[in-house]
Amino acid sequence: MSVDRLRALHRGRADGSPLVLPGPWDAASARVFAAAGFEGLATPSHGVSESLGYRDGEAPADEMFAAVARIVRAVGSGLPVTADIERGYGLPPEEIVERLLATGAVGCNLEDSADGVLLEPQRQADWLSEVHAAAGGRVFLNARIDTYVRGAADPLAEAVERGRLYAAAGAECLYPIGAPPKDVGLIAQESGMPVNAYCATGGPGEPGSPHGPGVRELGEAGASRVTFGGDLHARAVAAVETLARRLREG
């Protein structure tokens, strides 16, 4: 699947109709989401890590890239896949790009914190610029902004500042994870960029829940893209736990 297809899916979205990318954690879940008719998939590092037997952030690079490759292979070349590869596992930008492309994925998330601490914005922008240059247009770069989840004093103001820097560095979408709907819209306006919003309701089409706003609300607020992090994997595990209890109870 061409990266140009993934780029096109982020543009010209009608209000309230963002690009919805569910997060498969293995080949079987990827096939389910593909069969449901989604326009693309976004692998979550959290869900993939847990499916491999690791905590979030602890899966080795080799295993993460291999898991992404299995997911891409499971859905074939007709569906674009973008991968959450955390902060690149300490690899040089050129190797990040080549290993990602070897999986068949055409996009990635890269985050701007390490060990729970926000990185200096210009330092992150310079690194993203190196990844962008190494990609040479072959990878759709989604820059995650962690100001809302890492205790920034003014998460909106810092997200806007970072968003501008990351856009200038070559990012094609901004991902202010944890941003409320009103801030999603402001970040989109200030940056002029597609914005990826995180949805914790458990699935597309669900109304708002105690966990947060739903897909439509995020789209109406200004999100061009909605993803679910490890939430879908967590719901699947909860369903298996319920089944296990029933089996145990006879």
Side-chain angles (χ1 to χ4, degrees):
M1 171 59 67
S2 168
V3 65
D4 293 333
R5 173 59 179 159
L6 183 60
R7 289 194 176 103
L9 288 171
H10 288 75
R11 301 290 180 178
R13 309 295 306 191
D15 290 346
S17 298
L19 173 63
V20 178
L21 300 178
W25 52 91
D26 60 11
S29 59
R31 290 192 186 101
V32 170
F33 292 133
F38 288 98
E39 296 177 281
L41 302 175
T43 69
S45 64
H46 193 156
V48 173
S49 293
E50 291 201 350
S51 75
L52 294 172
Y54 298 96
R55 294 179 180 177
D56 186 27
E58 295 183 359
D62 288 351
E63 293 196 45
M64 182 63 72
F65 285 117
V68 173
R70 288 192 293 272
I71 286 168
V72 174
R73 185 169 65 246
V75 300
S77 60
L79 195 68
V81 175
T82 180
D84 179 354
I85 53 171
E86 300 173 337
R87 204 172 178 274
Y89 308 105
L91 302 173
E94 295 80 4
E95 187 173 351
I96 291 172
V97 170
E98 294 308 322
R99 295 193 69 173
L100 180 72
L101 291 173
T103 70
V106 294
C108 69
N109 290 357
L110 291 170
E111 58 196 54
D112 64 355
S113 63
D115 299 321
V117 178
L118 281 166
L119 298 167
E120 193 277 323
Q122 188 61 59
R123 173 189 171 192
Q124 176 71 1
D126 291 344
W127 180 70
L128 290 174
S129 181
E130 293 179 15
V131 176
H132 172 68
R138 297 173 294 168
V139 173
F140 184 92
L141 181 55
N142 187 33
R144 202 177 93 173
I145 299 172
D146 287 358
T147 59
Y148 289 89
V149 296
R150 299 303 184 203
D154 188 339
L156 173 59
E158 291 195 39
V160 169
E161 175 195 1
R162 288 169 182 269
R164 289 172 176 159
L165 286 171
Y166 301 167
E172 298 181 74
C173 188
L174 304 175
Y175 182 17
I177 186 168
K182 63 181 180 62
D183 288 8
V184 168
L186 287 170
I187 294 166
Q189 291 172 14
E190 291 291 332
S191 67
M193 296 282 289
V195 171
N196 181 163
Y198 168 69
C199 181
T201 62
E206 289 191 1
S209 76
H211 301 290
V215 169
R216 181 171 295 279
E217 182 180 350
L218 291 167
E220 290 173 346
S224 296
R225 161 174 160 171
V226 172
T227 55
F228 306 89
D231 193 55
L232 302 182
H233 172 262
R235 285 173 64 96
V237 170
V240 174
E241 289 173 345
T242 298
L243 174 61
R245 285 196 298 271
R246 290 175 180 170
L247 292 173
R248 180 68 176 172
E249 293 165 0

